[in-house]
Amino acid sequence: MAVQNLQSVTAELSPEELDAAARRDAEGQANFDRVMADDSRIEPKDWMPAAYRKTLLRQISQHAHSEIIGMQPEANWISRAPSLKRKAILMAKVQDEAGHGLYLYSAAETLGQSRDEMMDALIAGKARYSSIFNYPARTWADMGAIGWMVDGAAICNQVPLCRASYGPYGRAMVRVCKEESFHQRQGFEILLELSHGTPEQKQMAQDAVNRWYAPALMMFGPPDDDSPNSKQSMAWNIKRFSNDELRNRFVGMMMEQVKVLELTLPDKDIRFNEETKKWEHGPLDWDEFHEVLAGRGPCNSQRLERRREAHDDGAWVREAAAAYAAKQQAKQSMKTKEYAA
Amino acid sequence: MSTPATNTEASETHGHGDISTGVAGGDSNASATRITPGNALRPEDIALEVRTGLAKPSGDVAEYALRLGDDALILAQRLGHWISRAPELEEDVALGNIALDQLGHARSFLTYAGGALGENGTPQSEDDLAYFRREHEFRSAHLFEQPNGDFAATIARQFVVSYYQFELYRRLTGSTDATLAAIAAKAVKEVDYHRDHSAQWVLRLAGGTDESRKRMIHGLKLMWPYVGELFEDDALVTRLAEAGAAVVPSSIREDFDRLTGEVFAEAELEVPDVPSAPGGGRQGKHSEHLGYILAEMQVLAREHPGANW
């Protein structure tokens, strides 16, 4: 489904048409500026700068891909979940993630790219998704740590996105955030049960928290002085808080909750800075972050391969569904014609 | 792609929206749990009633509930594998949903069965039954254990299961055992959707491309040897059915054949002409597949016996 570029086209136009196009662009820009100043919303049919469209398309599709790839580490434990109740909760959670992927792909489609095109880019390794999902889910406690920390970080990131200037994205995020908060709670509950269980269970929980802590903090993106796109995104009312601001807020949240869990965070340097009134954390290994981002993480190849395999194995099914739909439509129009005749 | 689920006679006449009169009532509208509008029957409610002795299955009813519970549990385990691997995202969601429904039914049936299976008055929990029984103690029929295969094989299995379970649960809502009736009343509404989903896919795959038609026919052929077992009667169900508690499997074959036949006719498919396998799941004689399913499902729970999760 190719959606027309809503930007005014400037090629092969008569002088009068060029004038009209320029006028539309100027009016569109003025409206866009007004919307930004009022902190109001841009909708799919509104004029928007090409760079705004491109930035959003990249961000929303990456977000959708993250949901889809993010299903894998947790799907890895569905078959082995240690109680039927946990199995049911985990299934529902991974299913929610597929749903989030669906809304987000739909939101991205309003910007002019089809889900198929986005999926192809993902499978070809041309599109990014959150690096966190390139880490393995080794034990059951990882289901707790992913829910509590990874979904927790996602919520910190995403709650402000509910106010993003692009309408379809903001609205999708409202629903996503509601479900994410359940996800975080179930993760916390898994860890709570483990940390109050047998010594082996408590050890399993601590080990998972240790492994997911730094990758979760790095989900907020590079430090502010190394985040070139942040400023523009903030000017466009897409991003509301800087990476470091959100990261610090998240650290504070975890510090409170980890006490209830009777576990520890693997960072001796966490402290509340009385002067800035902000939480601070120890140094993070940004080299590792860039390595994983560059494709050299523990599961990069496996995650993409699984997605590719599902996509390729399902090709005949999608073709069948399309062929069947076309045949049904043809039958329907035949009937209509017969009826008319 | 989705079509609205059709309202069924069962869900209209046996839906339970009222506050329960408790288990003593014994009619199909009475729920074993306190069901209020918008509050689905939860396995936890059944567990509470089992623990407090409000719901107490006989040994026969427990054995029967194990059969239904194990069928649903093993199928949920199979279907869960599709989540993150389905042909399109909508099917990750749909197959995940069906798996969740089946798991919910399994939890209810197993929890109830556990009420008669414990020692010294302590019921066995759903998890005791799911994770700590051995292979020969399971009561699932072979069809539920069959591998997912390709999407067509999964759809073929689901098609048979959904039409079978719908006819079964529809009748079981009239059980004299109020808990079985209540579980069935919730399940039948969900299974009705599974029926719709699988029938739609049978039509699509049979009428899609040459490739999909070939695969659909093959998938049905793979599953059909295990259809007969679903409709076999034995002393247990006969005894229970005489008391009005259970459904005689052979009594639902005719409706099953008629309704699946309608879909086959529309899809221009033949009922597969393949020999039946002898089955034996109800006596604990399983397919070669079950051992692997249980090994994977039970591994973590068995590493930590007695732990809470």
Side-chain angles (χ1 to χ4, degrees):
Chain A
M1 183 195 79
V3 171
Q4 61 182 10
N5 187 349
L6 297 170
Q7 283 280 54
S8 305
V9 181
T10 49
E12 295 169 34
L13 295 178
S14 68
E16 294 77 24
E17 285 169 328
L18 266 174
D19 273 355
R23 209 166 41 244
R24 274 198 303 276
D25 277 352
E27 282 166 10
Q29 182 72 52
N31 179 60
F32 182 83
D33 293 343
R34 205 162 40 240
V35 167
M36 291 301 133
D38 294 350
D39 200 357
S40 173
R41 274 189 160 156
I42 289 291
E43 295 298 337
K45 286 183 174 168
D46 292 339
W47 186 98
M48 61 187 94
Y52 176 85
R53 182 186 298 277
K54 195 175 154 200
T55 296
L56 273 168
L57 188 55
R58 192 186 59 220
Q59 179 169 340
I60 303 173
S61 63
Q62 279 181 10
H63 191 162
H65 297 330
S66 301
E67 296 283 356
I68 301 313
I69 297 290
M71 293 167 72
Q72 292 183 28
E74 292 174 295
N76 184 41
W77 281 94
I78 289 176
S79 65
R80 292 173 294 166
S83 78
L84 297 186
K85 184 179 167 191
R86 291 282 171 219
K87 189 192 287 287
I89 294 170
L90 186 60
M91 264 188 195
K93 178 180 194 271
V94 183
Q95 192 200 23
D96 278 352
E97 284 155 8
H100 296 176
L102 280 172
Y103 322 140
L104 287 163
Y105 282 126
S106 301
E109 282 189 318
T110 64
L111 291 160
Q113 199 171 52
S114 71
R115 198 211 301 181
D116 285 347
E117 288 171 296
M118 291 183 261
M119 195 57 88
D120 287 344
L122 173 65
I123 286 166
K126 288 179 194 155
R128 286 209 163 131
Y129 55 87
S130 181
S131 265
I132 192 90
F133 301 117
N134 290 317
Y135 290 89
R138 291 210 181 92
T139 71
W140 170 253
D142 290 26
M143 299 305 95
I146 290 175
W148 180 49
M149 302 168 104
V150 175
D151 294 335
I155 292 169
C156 281
N157 242 332
Q158 291 169 9
V159 165
L161 288 174
C162 296
R163 294 189 287 130
S165 58
Y166 189 56
Y169 191 32
R171 288 187 289 271
M173 293 317 299
V174 171
R175 182 154 172 194
V176 169
C177 283
K178 277 185 193 161
E179 294 179 351
E180 288 295 348
S181 70
F182 279 110
H183 295 176
Q184 191 194 20
R185 204 181 310 169
Q186 68 86 39
F188 183 83
E189 215 184 272
I190 288 175
L191 290 177
L192 190 67
E193 196 75 57
L194 292 175
S195 70
H196 292 76
T198 66
E200 290 82 9
Q201 284 179 304
K202 179 158 188 174
Q203 180 53 44
M204 195 194 284
Q206 184 62 60
D207 167 68
V209 168
N210 291 350
R211 280 183 290 113
W212 290 94
Y213 170 76
L217 254 57
M218 290 193 270
M219 282 173 70
F220 294 95
D224 291 349
D225 51 21
D226 186 27
S227 180
N229 300 325
S230 284
K231 211 175 152 192
Q232 179 62 74
S233 282
M234 288 174 89
W236 278 334
N237 296 341
I238 299 171
K239 201 173 165 66
R240 301 286 179 168
F241 303 98
S242 79
N243 294 353
D244 286 333
E245 260 178 291
L246 290 169
R247 186 167 17 243
N248 294 341
R249 196 181 292 177
F250 176 61
V251 168
M253 251 173 58
M254 282 204 300
M255 275 305 278
E256 285 305 311
Q257 294 174 2
V258 80
K259 288 182 211 154
V260 182
L261 291 175
E262 295 177 29
L263 296 171
T264 56
L265 296 176
D267 183 346
K268 295 184 300 294
D269 300 326
I270 297 182
R271 66 179 197 118
F272 186 72
N273 185 326
E274 287 295 344
E275 280 172 31
T276 60
K277 300 287 174 205
K278 279 181 181 165
W279 284 89
E280 291 173 358
H281 55 83
L284 293 167
D285 183 358
W286 290 106
D287 289 340
E288 179 186 302
F289 177 81
H290 289 295
E291 281 293 291
V292 179
L293 203 63
R296 290 185 286 273
C299 301
N300 296 56
S301 159
Q302 176 191 331
R303 299 283 186 246
L304 260 196
E305 181 55 23
R306 162 85 80 82
R307 181 87 304 265
R308 192 177 296 132
E309 201 174 83
H311 190 76
D312 292 351
D313 288 354
W316 70 269
V317 179
R318 296 189 300 275
E319 281 159 23
Y324 182 76
K327 284 182 201 173
Q328 291 301 105
Q329 207 172 10
K331 256 189 218 168
Q332 200 58 45
S333 59
M334 280 277 271
K335 267 189 205 154
T336 317
K337 269 183 210 154
E338 278 167 23
Y339 188 73
Chain B
M1 190 194 73
S2 67
T3 54
T6 49
N7 262 332
T8 66
E9 186 198 3
S11 65
E12 278 164 8
T13 55
H14 299 290
H16 49 181
D18 300 321
I19 291 172
S20 165
T21 52
V23 289
D27 76 279
S28 62
N29 286 315
S31 146
T33 60
R34 289 171 301 282
I35 301 296
T36 51
N39 252 349
L41 174 66
R42 300 177 315 149
E44 288 80 1
D45 300 322
I46 298 175
L48 182 68
E49 302 216 342
V50 162
R51 263 202 316 277
T52 54
L54 262 174
K56 177 80 184 157
S58 67
D60 274 359
V61 167
E63 177 72 14
Y64 183 64
L66 268 189
R67 293 180 179 185
L68 306 188
D70 285 346
D71 285 351
L73 175 62
I74 299 305
L75 182 62
Q77 187 73 6
R78 281 295 195 208
L79 288 171
H81 185 77
W82 277 106
I83 305 173
S84 78
R85 295 179 174 89
E88 53 188 340
L89 286 176
E90 285 82 351
E91 283 306 304
D92 281 297
V93 175
L95 292 172
N97 233 351
I98 297 172
L100 261 173
D101 289 344
Q102 293 286 335
L103 184 56
H105 309 160
R107 293 183 61 202
S108 292
F109 282 126
L110 293 184
T111 300
Y112 188 42
L117 298 173
E119 280 167 23
N120 311 323
T122 314
Q124 290 211 293
S125 70
E126 50 176 315
D127 289 336
D128 293 334
L129 293 171
Y131 292 96
F132 294 94
R133 268 183 306 157
R134 297 169 63 195
E135 185 177 330
H136 68 271
E137 296 172 295
F138 275 76
R139 292 292 175 264
S140 45
H142 288 213
L143 178 69
F144 300 88
E145 302 166 7
Q146 294 308 304
N148 285 341
D150 64 6
F151 185 72
T154 288
I155 289 299
R157 186 183 62 202
Q158 199 57 46
F159 177 66
V160 175
V161 168
S162 306
Y163 277 78
Y164 159 74
Q165 285 182 333
F166 182 81
E167 292 307 315
L168 172 65
Y169 293 153
R170 189 166 70 86
R171 289 162 174 82
L172 200 58
T173 56
S175 172
T176 51
D177 184 292
T179 306
L180 289 180
I183 299 170
K186 175 170 192 286
V188 73
K189 294 176 202 164
E190 297 174 348
V191 168
D192 189 25
Y193 157 77
H194 307 172
R195 226 169 44 140
D196 188 40
H197 172 265
S198 61
Q200 294 287 337
W201 272 114
V202 168
L203 293 176
R204 261 186 222 114
L205 296 182
T209 61
D210 291 346
E211 169 79 3
S212 69
R213 184 171 178 81
K214 198 179 78 195
R215 286 182 188 249
M216 190 67 248
I217 291 169
H218 185 64
L220 287 164
K221 239 182 210 168
L222 285 177
M223 298 301 163
W224 221 259
Y226 312 102
V227 171
E229 183 187 9
L230 302 177
F231 302 99
E232 277 169 19
D233 301 338
D234 65 3
L236 176 85
V237 286
T238 309
R239 236 178 7 250
L240 282 172
E242 277 165 10
V247 177
V248 183
S250 61
S251 71
I252 60 181
R253 180 79 205 230
E254 200 183 315
D255 280 349
F256 171 87
D257 285 341
R258 182 173 52 79
L259 293 166
T260 52
E262 286 173 9
V263 179
F264 279 135
E266 193 180 339
E268 295 172 20
L269 291 170
E270 303 281 328
V271 176
D273 183 17
V274 290
S276 264
R282 307 302 187 206
Q283 290 82 47
K285 289 180 268 180
H286 293 285
S287 67
E288 288 183 340
H289 311 296
L290 185 64
Y292 292 92
I293 298 174
L294 297 184
E296 190 174 347
M297 183 174 80
Q298 296 178 335
V299 61
L300 178 59
R302 286 186 173 221
E303 249 179 74
H304 303 266
N308 290 317
W309 301 95

